[in-house]
Each structure stands twice: as C-alpha cells, then as structure tokens.
Amino acid sequence: VQTCALPIWGYLWHNLEVLELSGLAVDPTTVRFALGSLRKLHTLNVKDMPSFSDEIFEPNHQYPPFPHLSTLHLENPPAVTIRAMQALLADPPTARVLNNLSLSATAVHPSELHLILAGAPSLHPLSITELVTTPFPHTHVPPLQSRSLKTMHYEITAAPGASYTAGTAAYYSYLTTSLLASGLPNLRKLYVRDSAFPESLIEFAPPRPQFARSEERRVGKECLCS
C-alpha cells in the first residue's frame, strides 16, 4: 500500500475486516484517519513501523472513531507504550470484544500487563515477547489476574549487553507469584523463555493432599519452556 493511498482506504475498501501494515513510514495522524475510516475492521497486524505510536490510539474528535478491534498484533513498533493500550481499552465496546493481543518489541513493559488484563475481560490468548534492559520494578506490582485468559506467551529475555546482573529472574518470579495466587484460573497453556521456570512452580506450590487421585495428578496446565 502506498503512503499516499492511506487516506482513501475507507472510501475504496470500506468493508475491509483484516489489515496488515508492515515497514511503512507514515505520519501517525494519517494512519489514525485511515484506520478510523475502516468501520468493519476487526483485525490489525502491525510490523516494523517506528512511527506507529500512542497517538494513533488516543481519542481525537477530528477523526472517525477508532475501530473496535478483536485482534491486535504489534511487532516492533517501539513507540507504542501502555498509554496506547489504556486508550484502546478505555472504549467499552473494544474492551468487550478484544480477545487476542500480541505485543513484541514494544515499549509496553511486562510489569504493566496487569493494567491490560484489568481492562480486557475477554482476552483468550495474550502474548508479550520482550528483550529487557532494566530490572523488574522494586515497587509493588499487582499480580496478573484474568478469568478469560487461556493461553499466554510470556517470553522475556535479557537484551545482549544489559547493564544489570539479575537477569530475568525477577520477571519470572512475578509470573510465578501470579500463578500461585490463582489470578489466572483458566490458563491452560503457558510459554516462557526460562528453562528453570517449571521447577519454580514445584518449589513454591502448596503440598497436594494425600487423598488426591492419581488421575488428577495427570491433569494440569501445559507449560512450554525454551
């Protein structure tokens, strides 16, 4: 799609439901106007767009309303922060229908995921893939809580040359704490980038009752580590 064609999306393809933007250098206001014109858009995939920023998601009465997305995948838009997610979820219809969210190489920090889960009651899969350069915050961060979440990718690794020595242990300790607090009761599949993570669950999990049936012991949540 040519940059100059963006403003006329809504006129040429007003029934467009799925859109992928990749590698475009486009002014955020232009993108905002174009997306607002696509009233039936429900799936948006964005990849490698440094100019894709919070401004696109924030309310602006000069443009049509932002579409009510059910699926949003963001891969390497480094200017997107938690402000964008909060602006998106501040719209009640979007908060109700958003059920698939993927964040990779954005400026949304893993410690801010609880804000997304609190505002998106219908999320089924959630994915965050990040190379972190700073320690997990020392201040109290509320645990992850969601009754709808069934699949989660929490793939956190330390960026090469990171200036801190603690690695990602605190990031995964936060995830362990959230799981053991029963904040994600319907989670069935969990993908992480820490080979020691399953042992952390065993170490801190409460003891099982003596009378638990052997069949119950085989029923559990799938955790895939790499």
Side-chain angles (χ1 to χ4, degrees):
V1 178
Q2 297 290 330
T3 300
C4 62
L6 293 180
I8 62 172
W9 283 350
Y11 304 107
L12 294 181
W13 305 313
H14 57 275
N15 289 322
L16 196 66
E17 298 181 1
V18 178
L19 177 65
E20 179 172 342
L21 304 177
S22 178
L24 297 179
V26 188
D27 180 81
T29 58
T30 302
V31 177
R32 175 66 180 82
F33 178 82
L35 292 177
S37 301
L38 301 174
R39 302 297 180 84
K40 295 187 178 182
L41 188 70
H42 60 70
T43 297
L44 177 62
N45 301 320
V46 178
K47 181 178 180 181
D48 298 330
M49 289 186 61
S51 62
F52 200 87
S53 66
D54 294 349
E55 183 181 353
I56 294 170
F57 295 89
E58 293 172 350
N60 190 324
H61 298 299
Q62 297 180 0
Y63 303 115
F66 198 83
H68 305 315
L69 299 177
S70 61
T71 298
L72 176 62
H73 292 170
L74 300 177
E75 181 179 350
N76 194 31
V80 172
T81 74
I82 190 62
R83 286 177 52 198
M85 298 299 98
Q86 290 177 308
L88 183 72
L89 296 172
D91 175 49
T94 299
R96 286 193 298 268
V97 302
L98 183 67
N99 57 42
N100 189 328
L101 178 62
S102 176
L103 304 171
S104 177
T106 70
V108 178
H109 195 268
S111 64
E112 298 168 326
L113 283 183
H114 68 96
L115 298 173
I116 296 175
L117 291 177
S122 301
L123 270 183
H124 290 172
L126 170 64
S127 175
I128 182 168
T129 304
E130 293 294 336
L131 292 174
V132 294
T133 59
T134 58
F136 196 82
H138 293 297
T139 56
H140 174 70
V141 178
L144 301 174
Q145 297 186 54
S146 172
R147 299 192 63 83
S148 64
L149 202 64
K150 297 179 180 179
T151 300
M152 184 177 185
H153 289 252
Y154 186 88
E155 303 187 36
I156 310 300
T157 52
S163 60
Y164 65 101
T165 59
T168 57
Y171 287 85
Y172 287 103
S173 293
Y174 171 66
L175 178 59
T176 298
T177 300
S178 297
L179 292 172
L180 298 182
S182 301
L184 305 169
N186 294 309
L187 190 67
R188 294 295 176 264
K189 294 182 180 180
L190 175 62
Y191 300 81
V192 299
R193 293 284 183 92
D194 182 2
S195 59
F197 184 75
E199 285 72 18
S200 72
L201 294 178
I202 295 173
E203 179 180 356
F204 293 105
R208 295 182 61 84
Q210 294 280 338
F211 53 82
R213 294 182 301 174
S214 59
E215 290 82 5
E216 292 177 340
R217 295 175 183 172
R218 292 198 294 266
V219 178
K221 299 174 182 178
E222 181 180 350
C223 178
L224 302 182
C225 310
S226 59

